[in-house]
Amino acid sequence: MKISFSIFPKVLFFLLLAGSISSCSKDGCTDPNALNYDSEAKNDDGTCTYENAEEQTSVKVTLHHRVDGETLEFNTINYSNDAGNDYSVVRLHYYISDITLVNSDGDNHIVDVIHYVDATQSATLEMMLDSLPKGSYTAVSFRFGISPEKNHVDSGYLPGTPEHVGMFWPEQMGGGYHFMKLEGRYEKSNDSLENYNTHLGGLVMMGDDYSSSFVTEVFNLDEPIVITEEDSIIELPIVMNINNWYSNPNNYDMNDYDDGIMNKPAVQTMLKENGAENVFSVER
C-alpha cells in the first residue's frame, strides 16, 4: 500500500487553524484586575470577580397613588373633591428628587436623583437607591418637582428622551420642566363634561419666582432603614393622595380654571401649599 506524505502538511495546517479559531472565541474574564482573570479569554462573559467587591443593603422606593385611601383608577369619574367636583384622572406624570435620609444621629444623606413618574407605567413606579452609607436611618424627606439649580433643559441632569421632552415648561414662563401633569375630566356645574389640567412648574413672571416645587416634611419612620453589608432590599413606600391637591388649606374648584393655571401665580402658590401640607405620606 502506497501512502502519500504530501497530505500531512495540509492536515497539520487545518489542525492549527482550528486551534487558532477556538482560542479566538474563548469566553471568560478578560479584566487583569479580577481574581479570575483568564489570559486566554478573548470574549468577556461577565463572570469577573473582585477582591474588594462589597454587597450591601439597597432601598427600593415604591410610588403609590390613591384617592382618600382607595387605589387610583384611571378614566372613570368616581372621585369627588371638597369643592364638589366629580372628576376622573386620565394622566398623572410628575417628578420627585433629592431624597434625603436622616440617620439616628440626625445627619442627612441626600441622594442626588431626579425620578420621573408616569402613574400608568409600572417601570416608573419604583427606583433603587444603592451604595448608601451604612447606618440606621430613622426619617426621610424628598422634593416634589426639581430644584431651581437643576430645573433647566440644558442642565444635563435629564436626557432628551420623549418622556422628559413631553414635560418641558414654556420658556416664556420660566422654562425647565413641568413638575406635574395631572389631567382628566370633570362634571361642570352646568352638567357638561370638561377637561381639567392641573399643571405645576417653575413659573417665573416679571422676574418673580412662583415655583411650585417644595420639599416635603420630614417623615419619621416607624421601622428604621438599616443599611448593612447584607445583600438585601428594603422597601420604602411613598404615597400620593390625589384629592389633597384640591383641599387643605386651600379649596380648589375646577369650575374656576377652565382657561388653565400655568400662568397664574396665585393658583400655583395655592396648589404648592396644598401639596406641602399633606399630599404625600410615607408608609414604613
Side-chain angles (χ1 to χ4, degrees), residues 38-60:
D38 186 346
S39 60
E40 297 181 357
K42 303 300 180 183
N43 302 316
D44 196 296
D45 61 0
T47 61
C48 295
T49 58
Y50 301 89
E51 183 176 1
N52 294 325
E54 289 188 4
E55 294 181 343
Q56 72 168 64
T57 312
S58 297
V59 174
K60 180 169 72 173

Side-chain angles (χ1 to χ4, degrees), residues 151-226:
N151 187 34
H152 304 281
V153 171
D154 58 355
S155 66
Y157 280 94
L158 294 173
T161 50
E163 63 270 23
H164 298 302
V165 171
M167 295 290 278
F168 283 175
W169 184 264
E171 283 295 327
Q172 64 270 27
M173 296 183 189
Y177 297 88
H178 281 76
F179 301 148
M180 182 175 73
K181 288 184 175 182
L182 171 55
E183 303 170 1
R185 305 269 282 168
Y186 77 102
E187 293 182 355
K188 199 168 173 59
S189 53
N190 61 6
D191 294 329
S192 64
L193 277 179
E194 299 289 343
N195 295 327
Y196 73 87
N197 299 297
T198 307
H199 288 188
L200 301 180
L203 178 62
V204 176
M205 295 192 69
M206 305 295 291
D208 293 325
D209 187 354
Y210 300 98
S211 173
S212 55
S213 178
F214 60 85
V215 176
T216 67
E217 65 177 286
V218 176
F219 299 102
N220 292 316
L221 305 178
D222 293 335
E223 183 180 356
I225 294 172
V226 181

Side-chain angles (χ1 to χ4, degrees), residues 116-130:
Y116 165 80
V117 180
D118 176 347
T120 66
Q121 300 297 316
S122 59
T124 71
L125 300 183
E126 61 180 49
M127 59 175 156
M128 296 299 297
L129 307 182
D130 299 312

Side-chain angles (χ1 to χ4, degrees), residues 132-146:
L132 298 172
K134 295 179 178 62
S136 178
Y137 296 93
T138 58
V140 64
S141 66
F142 55 90
R143 175 178 289 276
F144 165 77
I146 304 172

